[in-house]
């Protein structure tokens, strides 16, 4: 018997035993306890935080390859195309696709070097759902 077939049989036995041992009410979740708007908000915030981490990593790779971070003026676009002005990286490779610069709310991620919150490094953040900088829904690398 193949391993995958044995796994399926074992899984079926375990699930069968669980459904016999637990009452249905222990498995089912009451509809009143599910809060869809909050779950969606949390999902968008989690996705945004993940995108910020990916951009943060790309910025570190940019510095490792090129010897410097992009300037605030060059912005995150320097991760996509080689900057035309300002300090030039020693070596350049496109590190992200253009759509990686847009947060789940449809706004461009913001980048400042040096950062206001991270003065020894950079600030990288989303202005959140409201699209306004400096409000409670901002999500950043701080």
């Amino acid at each position: 018997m193949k391993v995958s077939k044995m796994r399926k049989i074992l899984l079926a036995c375990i699930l069968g035993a669980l459904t016999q041992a637990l009452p249905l009410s222990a498995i089912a979740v009451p509809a009143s306890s599910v809060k869809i708007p909050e779950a969606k908000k949390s999902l968008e915030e989690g996705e945004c935080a993940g995108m910020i981490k990916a951009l943060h990593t790309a910025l570190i790779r940019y510095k490792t390859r090129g010897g410097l971070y992009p300037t605030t003026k060059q912005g995150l676009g320097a991760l996509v195309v080689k900057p035309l002005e300002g300090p030039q990286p020693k070596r350049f490779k496109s590190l992200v696709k253009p759509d990686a610069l847009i947060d789940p709310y449809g706004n461009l991620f913001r980048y400042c070097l040096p950062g206001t919150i991270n003065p020894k490094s950079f600030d990288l953040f989303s202005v959140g759902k409201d699209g306004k900088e400096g409000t409670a829904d901002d999500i950043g690398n701080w």
Side-chain angles (χ1 to χ4, degrees):
M1 193 178 306
K2 290 185 177 180
V3 174
S4 62
K5 189 173 182 181
M6 288 176 57
R7 284 183 181 167
K8 288 179 184 178
I9 293 170
L10 181 60
L11 183 59
C13 290
I14 291 170
L15 288 174
L18 283 175
T19 54
Q20 289 176 1
L22 296 173
L24 186 58
S25 61
I27 299 170
V29 177
S32 62
S33 70
V34 178
K35 298 180 180 176
I36 301 298
E38 286 181 23
K40 184 178 181 199
K41 179 181 175 187
S42 178
L43 180 65
E44 288 172 335
E45 288 173 351
E47 180 183 2
C48 191
M51 293 174 79
I52 288 170
K53 285 180 183 177
L55 286 172
H56 189 275
T57 300
L59 284 161
I60 291 170
R61 287 183 64 207
Y62 183 96
K63 182 179 180 186
T64 301
R65 293 180 62 80
L68 52 100
Y69 286 117
T71 65
T72 300
K73 186 176 180 181
Q74 291 169 332
L76 295 173
L79 299 175
V80 180
V81 296
K82 187 174 182 180
L84 298 175
E85 298 178 357
Q88 295 294 304
K90 293 175 189 171
R91 295 184 316 170
F92 178 81
K93 177 183 176 183
S94 181
L95 298 171
V96 299
K97 295 184 181 198
D99 60 344
L101 306 181
I102 301 170
D103 71 14
Y105 310 103
N107 304 307
L108 288 173
F109 282 104
R110 307 284 174 94
Y111 168 76
C112 295
L113 177 76
T116 304
I117 296 173
N118 298 307
K120 294 182 180 181
S121 182
F122 56 85
D123 290 347
L124 175 62
F125 62 99
S126 162
V127 293
K129 190 172 184 173
D130 68 4
K132 297 177 184 173
E133 189 174 327
T135 57
D137 70 340
D138 292 358
I139 302 168
N141 66 333
W142 46 78

